[in-house]
Amino acid sequence: MTEQNKPDIALRLEQLTELSVELSTTHDTTVLLEKILRTAKSMTHADGGTLYRISADKKNLCFSISINDTLGMYQGGLSGNKVAIPDIPLTTSTGAKNLGAVAAYAANTGVSVNIQDVYQVDVFNFSGMRKFDETYHYHSQSFLTVPMQDHEGELIGVLQLINARDPHTGQTQPFSDTDQRFIEALASQAAIALTNQQLILRLEDLFESFVTLINIGIDEKSPHTGRHCHHVPLLTMMLADAAHATEAGPLAEFEMSENDRKQLWLAGLLHDCGKITTPVHVVEKSTKLETIFDRVHLVDTRFEVVKRDAEIRSLKEKLASGNDPKRHAEINRMLSEELIRMDADRDFLRRANIGSEAMSEDDQKRVTQIASRYRWIAPDGDERDLLSEEEIGNLTIRAGTLNQRERDIINNHISVTIRMLESLPWPKHLSDVPEYAGGHHERMDGKGYPRGLRGDEMSWQARMMAIADIFEALTAKDRPYKKGKTLTESLHILGGFKLRNHIDPDLFDIFIRKKVYLDYAKRFMDPAQIDEVDESKIPGYTP
């Protein structure tokens, strides 16, 4: 039996069934709305149709899609044409329900309105429709207006069909009771599908807001780390887009769907979520002696005590030598030299405390010598070396400001991140987030942490985040323990990581060749850091 000879009811049931399937598989709201309206028009042979959505504040009906076959009119939806029709208010100026406009009436009452001839009815205000007819030389006649309500009776929108036509003669006719029942069934299914889709979107928004909430907490603990949590996902996505656009080399087949992008973005936002457990004084440690406060000031105080003791000792020596000007002058000279040496040693310890540059072995030995060179009387009356073993250990840190125990605490954040993320019941379409986020401290040679994964055991996305994490840290100028490096300095260091097999070489090449570094620099780096980069001199890169 041909399509044309099938009974009308059977054909409509088939259309309704097909729409039901599409409602469950289509995730694009605009496509979904368009399919709803076009199916409704087809089922009733309507010449025109309009689909209204309720506004966010629930005060208006907003035109979403409007189609009229006779006039060749197609606005909203997938057309790309803006809907040039004003919204319909659901209340009057006095605050009462708007029952004058037929679409507003259906929305406010939840009742379908089936009108055979709008020019023969004076219950509703059709002045706008009459003006439309005059303007476009059209004749509106039959109207079917059906509210779209979900399973809880919540209004989602209104579906309005105009001028049902006889499929054989093309003449305008009223919408039948059968038409109305089918459209009511369609509208009900559509409303539930849209509600489910909105619920999914709201849950996703809620989840991303929760992620943002975690980063706000980290930001409050450490504004420097908070900015890192914001910049790394952005840089990761920039590198991912460049890799996606690559047409040659090992990444020629690399592609990212919208869902892949969503996973990588969330992973970027969450890549340091474990830092919420890291003590502030470790994250923010700007000098080697800093804990809750910078203890270099305690060292300053001890020097003042030692200098005072030296001055007292000199005064005692003068008293013991009697009235001997020559001896007094010798004592003054010796005291002056001792005080000068003390000031020099104190200034050296202050510089060593900053930790902005790598410390030489000679400087480390000098710290140890200074520690035992001076003795001071502590408040408990005990005589002690100027520096404790713990203070010596901190002041002789070769690079940076963190000692090994503190580095272990910092490094533990990635283990905490993995535990936090793996404890969540990720849906299938987000199941890769823990792997992407948890791999940014791994290395291609397998000597990274916490799992010691090799390059072939890591996804491209995790390797991308590793590069983004390093480059952001190198260029950041807001860290309390270092200055932000220039582009050239940062790329030379990154090139060194490639040569030592720390980062993925192919992604590094894309990072340079596609000038991802420059796009990032223009957006987030201080102009003073953006110098002229000679790519031919970057270690490990061949232009």
Side-chain angles (χ1 to χ4, degrees):
M1 183 180 293
T2 63
E3 289 286 329
Q4 288 80 3
N5 294 329
K6 281 185 178 181
D8 190 51
I9 296 294
L11 182 59
R12 293 186 188 200
L13 285 172
E14 185 175 312
Q15 289 176 314
L16 195 58
T17 301
E18 289 177 356
L19 179 63
S20 297
V21 173
E22 293 204 36
L23 291 177
S24 64
T25 58
T26 302
H27 304 294
D28 187 314
T29 301
T30 303
V31 173
L32 193 61
L33 293 173
E34 183 126 352
K35 185 64 179 177
I36 291 168
L37 180 58
R38 290 190 179 277
T39 300
K41 281 177 75 277
S42 176
M43 289 174 68
T44 58
H45 309 291
D47 185 43
T50 300
L51 195 150
Y52 304 86
R53 295 292 303 278
I54 185 104
S55 62
D57 60 8
K58 301 187 182 301
K59 292 182 179 181
N60 297 285
L61 288 176
C62 306
F63 282 84
S64 180
I65 310 172
S66 182
I67 301 174
N68 188 292
D69 295 340
T70 298
L71 297 176
M73 185 176 291
Y74 178 19
Q75 296 180 334
L78 299 173
S79 70
N81 302 318
K82 291 184 178 180
V83 179
I85 309 172
D87 296 343
I88 300 175
L90 291 175
T91 58
T92 65
S93 58
T94 62
K97 291 182 179 180
N98 178 8
L99 302 179
V102 65
Y105 177 91
N108 280 316
T109 63
V111 176
S112 300
V113 180
N114 190 343
I115 301 174
Q116 296 185 9
D117 189 342
V118 293
Y119 281 92
Q120 303 300 318
V121 175
D122 57 4
V123 178
F124 300 106
N125 179 4
F126 286 112
S127 59
M129 179 273 296
R130 290 189 175 93
K131 184 177 180 181
F132 177 90
D133 285 357
E134 291 174 5
T135 302
Y136 293 99
H137 305 290
Y138 189 71
H139 182 72
S140 301
Q141 184 173 320
S142 55
F143 264 58
L144 177 59
T145 307
V146 178
M148 298 169 62
Q149 297 175 309
D150 65 14
H151 60 289
E152 295 181 343
E154 184 78 14
L155 181 70
I156 303 300
V158 172
L159 185 59
Q160 189 172 73
L161 302 172
I162 303 171
N163 286 1
R165 292 181 297 185
D166 186 298
H168 303 295
T169 66
Q171 294 297 311
T172 300
Q173 63 183 14
F175 290 95
S176 66
D177 291 341
T178 302
D179 289 335
Q180 181 174 330
R181 285 194 293 273
F182 268 103
I183 298 307
E184 286 173 343
L186 181 153
S188 178
Q189 286 189 0
I192 293 172
L194 287 170
T195 298
N196 290 339
Q197 191 175 82
Q198 288 176 349
L199 178 60
I200 291 171
L201 291 174
R202 287 170 185 165
L203 287 173
E204 289 179 348
D205 287 344
L206 178 63
F207 179 72
E208 190 160 337
S209 297
F210 181 70
V211 171
T212 302
L213 185 70
I214 293 175
N215 285 340
I216 289 173
I218 295 173
D219 196 10
E220 285 299 309
K221 287 183 65 176
S222 169
H224 317 101
T225 302
R227 279 186 284 273
H228 176 77
C229 292
H230 176 66
H231 287 168
V232 167
L234 291 169
L235 181 53
T236 301
M237 297 309 297
M238 293 167 71
L239 179 53
D241 288 339
H244 178 85
T246 298
E247 298 178 350
L251 282 102
E253 302 299 320
F254 176 79
E255 292 183 346
M256 290 190 69
S257 65
E258 279 305 307
N259 184 66
D260 293 333
R261 291 177 58 80
K262 181 182 294 184
Q263 288 199 88
L264 186 56
W265 173 249
L266 284 174
L269 290 175
L270 288 165
H271 83 284
D272 271 351
C273 65
K275 283 185 177 176
I276 200 167
T277 66
T278 308
V280 177
H281 71 274
V282 177
V283 176
E284 291 286 286
K285 190 180 182 187
S286 59
T287 63
K288 295 180 179 180
L289 289 177
E290 184 174 353
T291 50
I292 302 301
F293 64 96
D294 191 347
R295 293 174 296 160
V296 75
H297 303 302
L298 296 181
V299 177
D300 284 340
T301 301
R302 293 172 201 164
F303 266 110
E304 291 301 321
V305 172
V306 172
K307 289 169 72 174
R308 178 206 62 187
D309 290 346
E311 289 171 348
I312 292 173
R313 185 175 62 253
S314 296
L315 290 174
K316 287 181 178 180
E317 289 178 0
K318 286 181 179 180
L319 288 174
S321 64
N323 190 17
D324 184 348
K326 190 174 181 180
R327 176 60 180 156
H328 286 192
E330 177 67 14
I331 292 172
N332 287 338
R333 183 187 63 76
M334 293 172 60
L335 175 62
S336 177
E337 291 176 354
E338 187 175 7
L339 294 179
I340 290 172
R341 184 174 67 251
M342 288 181 185
D343 286 339
D345 287 342
R346 179 168 62 178
D347 289 342
F348 169 76
L349 292 183
R350 284 174 173 171
R351 292 193 302 273
N353 184 47
I354 296 172
S356 59
E357 297 179 0
M359 195 174 201
S360 67
E361 287 188 15
D362 289 342
D363 284 345
Q364 289 175 320
K365 289 179 182 177
R366 184 177 175 185
V367 170
T368 304
Q369 292 167 353
I370 292 172
S372 58
R373 178 180 298 156
Y374 305 104
R375 305 277 291 175
W376 71 296
I377 306 299
D380 58 7
D382 290 341
E383 187 178 35
R384 302 175 184 174
D385 286 344
L386 181 72
L387 301 174
S388 68
E389 288 299 320
E390 186 270 338
E391 290 167 337
I392 293 172
N394 275 283
L395 284 170
T396 54
I397 293 171
R398 192 185 68 80
T401 62
L402 299 177
N403 58 40
Q404 189 55 52
R405 183 182 64 83
E406 291 162 341
R407 286 192 180 278
D408 291 341
I409 292 173
I410 284 285
N411 291 348
N412 186 56
H413 83 272
I414 190 62
S415 297
V416 175
T417 294
I418 292 172
R419 290 204 305 273
M420 288 173 67
L421 296 182
E422 289 186 344
S423 71
L424 296 176
W426 294 96
K428 183 178 179 180
H429 70 287
L430 296 177
S431 59
D432 291 325
V433 168
E435 192 270 331
Y436 295 169
H440 67 278
H441 285 300
E442 303 291 352
R443 288 174 20 180
M444 297 295 289
D445 60 6
K447 296 179 181 179
Y449 63 92
R451 292 172 170 168
L453 301 176
R454 297 184 64 84
D456 56 4
E457 298 175 294
M458 300 161 58
S459 64
W460 285 114
Q461 287 86 343
R463 288 179 255 177
M464 290 173 189
M465 200 171 298
I467 291 176
D469 188 73
I470 294 170
F471 188 77
E472 193 282 335
L474 290 172
T475 57
K477 61 173 293 185
D478 58 358
R479 302 296 190 270
Y481 48 83
K482 73 172 193 67
K483 295 179 180 180
K485 298 187 179 299
T486 65
L487 265 185
T488 296
E489 290 171 335
S490 301
L491 292 173
H492 277 242
I493 293 172
L494 200 63
F497 282 130
K498 174 194 172 179
L499 293 176
R500 293 191 296 276
N501 201 23
H502 290 193
I503 61 174
D504 186 273
D506 300 309
L507 286 172
F508 172 77
D509 288 346
I510 290 174
F511 190 77
I512 306 299
R513 187 170 65 254
K514 297 288 187 179
K515 299 195 183 302
V516 177
Y517 70 88
L518 188 58
D519 292 339
Y520 175 82
K522 290 177 179 178
R523 291 181 61 183
F524 301 111
M525 287 176 61
D526 188 316
Q529 295 174 261
I530 306 175
D531 56 353
E532 190 71 30
V533 174
D534 184 348
E535 294 181 353
S536 66
K537 294 183 179 179
I538 297 175
Y541 178 71
T542 303

